[in-house]
Amino acid sequence: MELALLGLGKMGSNMVQRLLGGGHKVVAYDVDPQRAAALAPLGAKPATTLDQAIAELKPPRVVWVMVPSGRITEELISSAAGKLARGDVIVDGGNSNFQDSIRRGKDLEARGIRFLDAGTSGGVWGLKNGYCLMVGGSKEAFALAEPLLKTLAPEEGGLIHVGPVGAGHYVKMVHNGIEYGLMEAYAEGFEILRSSPFPSLDLAGIARAWDHGSVVRSWLLELLADALARDPDLARVKGFVEDSGEGRWTVQAAIDQNVPAPVITLSLLQRIASRQQESFSAKVNAALRNEFGGHAVKKS
């Protein structure tokens, strides 16, 4: 199968490589032409303009947008739609607000263009391990893109069609809200360990032990063990934890739906507090974001 992938950042470039490994034809486009050119030796077809990227495809065309949520996504989807025809498919694999996705889906449907909102999880490790994909959209659009989705997902599981347009980004939003709570629990627990009356506890070793047979074992804990093994005091990480929006949207959805979500809400507030004070728990959060997603950390 073939598609154009628009946006070649950490996630997008790795997705291109995984798709190429699955035997698909990938036209790669980014505002920085060097990113597309770097993927050419691996088999991608680099495009220097959006017009060229879409012209390389045969109908029905599939265009995957993988850029930061907000204005950039809005403008790129609008530009791409203006160059597509009835029956073509646009996939938004970024972390867009589900309400924006519902609106975009309606606008595109009126023009005969199909839309999938694909919540995508896996970070910088997705190239090797595959991406968990939570996809919203019509059954017809999902079926058309399914060969691509199956290649991106792990071999067993990790791909689900969750409902109509908007459902994919809604499920991913809640996924990220849960992620906030998990990370905050680890962060607080390891700060308690670090300040314990028992000197020189091996935090990396404890994390490794807990990751074998313990009820709190997880991939996040494995990544934390790696980070602590390299830098036991996280001295090179500033305890400044960003949030990219999904946690706030999850809290707002909980309020709108009259669902109490104190853990997720407080984990979001802790991230905000990290920008005003230094703490070890915030360092753990910042380190984990770097480990699983390649997000930049502020240096101490």
Side-chain angles (χ1 to χ4, degrees):
M1 196 170 172
E2 62 181 33
L3 85 159
L5 202 146
L6 316 179
L8 306 174
K10 292 186 291 289
M11 291 278 281
S13 61
N14 281 351
M15 293 171 77
V16 168
Q17 295 177 61
R18 189 167 175 90
L19 288 165
L20 290 171
H24 301 284
K25 173 187 174 181
V26 183
V27 181
Y29 169 75
D30 193 274
V31 291
D32 180 356
Q34 293 183 350
R35 291 181 176 179
L39 293 166
L42 302 178
K45 173 70 176 179
T48 56
T49 66
L50 184 57
D51 284 302
Q52 180 188 356
I54 293 175
E56 291 285 343
L57 304 176
K58 298 185 292 292
R61 295 165 290 193
V62 178
V63 174
W64 189 298
V65 175
M66 204 65 194
V67 296
S69 64
R71 180 183 57 82
I72 297 175
T73 293
E74 186 79 28
E75 291 177 353
L76 187 53
I77 288 177
S78 178
S79 296
K83 306 175 191 305
L84 296 174
R86 298 184 68 86
D88 292 340
V89 179
I90 294 178
V91 184
D92 178 7
N95 284 323
S96 292
N97 187 294
F98 76 96
Q99 294 172 331
D100 288 334
S101 296
I102 292 173
R103 172 180 52 80
R104 290 170 186 146
K106 290 179 179 178
D107 292 343
L108 293 169
E109 183 181 18
R111 303 165 68 170
I113 299 172
R114 292 173 280 194
F115 181 64
L116 294 173
D117 57 302
T120 305
S121 181
V124 295
W125 297 87
L127 172 58
K128 176 183 177 182
N129 300 331
Y131 300 89
C132 179
L133 298 170
M134 301 141 267
V135 185
S138 70
K139 292 180 180 179
E140 295 75 17
F142 181 84
L144 196 152
E146 192 169 11
L148 303 169
L149 298 169
K150 285 184 173 179
T151 297
L152 288 169
E155 290 186 9
E156 297 184 10
L159 169 62
I160 182 170
H161 182 208
V162 293
V165 169
H169 282 147
Y170 182 87
V171 172
K172 179 55 163 47
M173 174 191 76
V174 177
H175 164 283
N176 283 25
I178 292 170
E179 175 189 296
Y180 278 37
L182 290 171
M183 290 169 63
E184 181 60 29
Y186 284 132
E188 292 175 10
F190 276 84
E191 182 159 25
I192 294 169
L193 288 172
R194 187 171 182 265
S195 63
S196 80
F198 304 99
S200 303
L201 286 179
D202 180 0
L203 300 188
I206 291 169
R208 295 266 187 240
W210 284 358
D211 208 34
H212 294 81
S214 165
V215 296
V216 300
R217 65 186 181 274
S218 73
W219 184 48
L220 285 174
L221 189 59
E222 179 184 343
L223 293 173
L224 176 57
D226 292 341
L228 289 169
R230 290 194 303 270
D231 184 1
D233 293 319
L234 300 180
R236 294 188 294 273
V237 179
K238 185 175 178 62
F240 186 106
V241 189
E242 293 280 12
D243 72 278
S244 50
E246 299 88 346
R248 296 176 186 236
W249 302 338
T250 304
V251 171
Q252 186 60 57
I255 294 170
D256 293 343
Q257 296 164 213
N258 292 313
V259 176
V263 172
I264 294 173
T265 301
L266 289 174
S267 67
L268 170 63
L269 295 178
Q270 280 295 94
R271 291 193 177 202
I272 295 171
S274 77
R275 300 159 205 172
Q276 301 169 343
Q277 63 186 22
E278 189 78 317
S279 74
F280 189 75
S281 66
K283 285 174 176 276
V284 169
N285 254 326
L288 277 172
R289 292 184 81 244
N290 179 255
E291 289 294 318
F292 73 75
H295 303 291
V297 295
K298 293 182 179 292
K299 304 300 183 181
S300 295

